[in-house]
Amino acid sequence: MVDVEHAFRRGKKYEWVLTKPSALLQAKTVQWTAAKINLNIFSLRDVGEASEEEIAFANIKLFSKNHWFLWIEDNGDVSGTQVQGYEVTLQLQSFGNGLVRIYSPKMGRFIAMDSNGRLFSTKNKTDSTIFKHVKEINGFHTFSSHKYYRETPHDMYIALQKDGIPRKGNKTCRLHKGSQFLII
């Protein structure tokens, strides 16, 4: 017995044969509202914490293409400022092939991204504080979350809007002006 569905549109009769939907079709119709988690991410518990001597770091300032310096405010919020001083000095701590943590020595906090793409700061070293650092063709640098992603790994970027407010990572791409930084 074959089920047939009838539909009328603009006076025409359409017939569809109803079949059992495949698992692949059902999986494609599911829409994710939150970011996915990169299952290939290494766990800090498995690898073990690197000692201070093993971490390669550099003191830098991140200047976005929108003319804002990335910094951590006194209350722990991540934002942009146009004041160039000691407050905007950050440390890029390397953890492997293109993987870095961004640390503010003045505040003693790390920049992190949650599953919704919001930037925040934390005092703890977690998986959400690890970013993929890429030097683009135009000479600017991009930083994408290593843990969370929307469609493909490393597609949620640190970005600043034109007014210095952080843009949510799920609304960014590597070509946006706000997600491209010069390292000073």
Side-chain angles (χ1 to χ4, degrees), residues 64-118:
S64 79
K65 221 173 181 180
N66 285 339
H67 308 291
W68 293 92
F69 286 98
L70 185 69
W71 78 310
I72 299 175
E73 297 178 17
D74 294 333
N75 60 3
D77 291 340
V78 178
S79 66
T81 182
Q82 291 184 332
V83 177
Q84 182 178 0
Y86 173 71
E87 300 85 23
V88 298
T89 301
L90 301 170
Q91 280 185 355
L92 222 56
Q93 299 179 353
S94 177
F95 282 93
N97 191 11
L99 299 179
V100 296
R101 279 196 177 112
I102 303 171
Y103 177 71
S104 173
K106 181 179 185 264
M107 295 297 150
R109 301 176 79 86
F110 294 92
I111 294 177
M113 186 180 288
D114 67 6
S115 62
N116 294 322
R118 291 189 184 97

Side-chain angles (χ1 to χ4, degrees), residues 111-139:
I111 294 177
M113 186 180 288
D114 67 6
S115 62
N116 294 322
R118 291 189 184 97
L119 290 178
F120 65 97
S121 66
T122 179
K123 291 188 177 188
N124 303 326
K125 297 178 182 179
T126 62
D127 290 344
S128 62
T129 62
I130 299 174
F131 295 94
K132 178 77 171 174
H133 171 219
V134 175
K135 184 175 181 181
E136 301 293 338
I137 300 170
N138 60 1

Side-chain angles (χ1 to χ4, degrees), residues 18-48:
L18 298 179
T19 59
K20 192 174 189 179
S22 68
L24 179 63
L25 180 62
Q26 289 177 349
K28 285 186 176 182
T29 59
V30 174
Q31 294 183 357
W32 295 93
T33 56
K36 301 175 187 94
I37 295 178
N38 187 357
L39 298 177
N40 295 329
I41 186 171
F42 65 88
S43 175
L44 297 176
R45 292 177 298 280
D46 297 340
V47 176

Side-chain angles (χ1 to χ4, degrees), residues 107-180:
M107 295 297 150
R109 301 176 79 86
F110 294 92
I111 294 177
M113 186 180 288
D114 67 6
S115 62
N116 294 322
R118 291 189 184 97
L119 290 178
F120 65 97
S121 66
T122 179
K123 291 188 177 188
N124 303 326
K125 297 178 182 179
T126 62
D127 290 344
S128 62
T129 62
I130 299 174
F131 295 94
K132 178 77 171 174
H133 171 219
V134 175
K135 184 175 181 181
E136 301 293 338
I137 300 170
N138 60 1
F140 286 87
H141 301 261
T142 57
F143 300 91
S144 57
S145 175
H146 186 58
K147 184 174 183 180
Y148 300 110
Y149 66 95
R150 292 180 313 239
E151 296 169 7
T152 60
H154 306 117
D155 66 353
M156 291 176 62
Y157 292 88
I158 294 177
L160 296 174
Q161 297 177 16
K162 290 181 181 179
D163 55 359
I165 297 172
R167 177 176 281 186
K168 285 178 63 174
N170 57 5
K171 306 262 188 226
T172 62
C173 75
R174 68 181 183 86
L175 300 175
H176 286 163
K177 282 176 64 174
S179 64
Q180 297 181 2

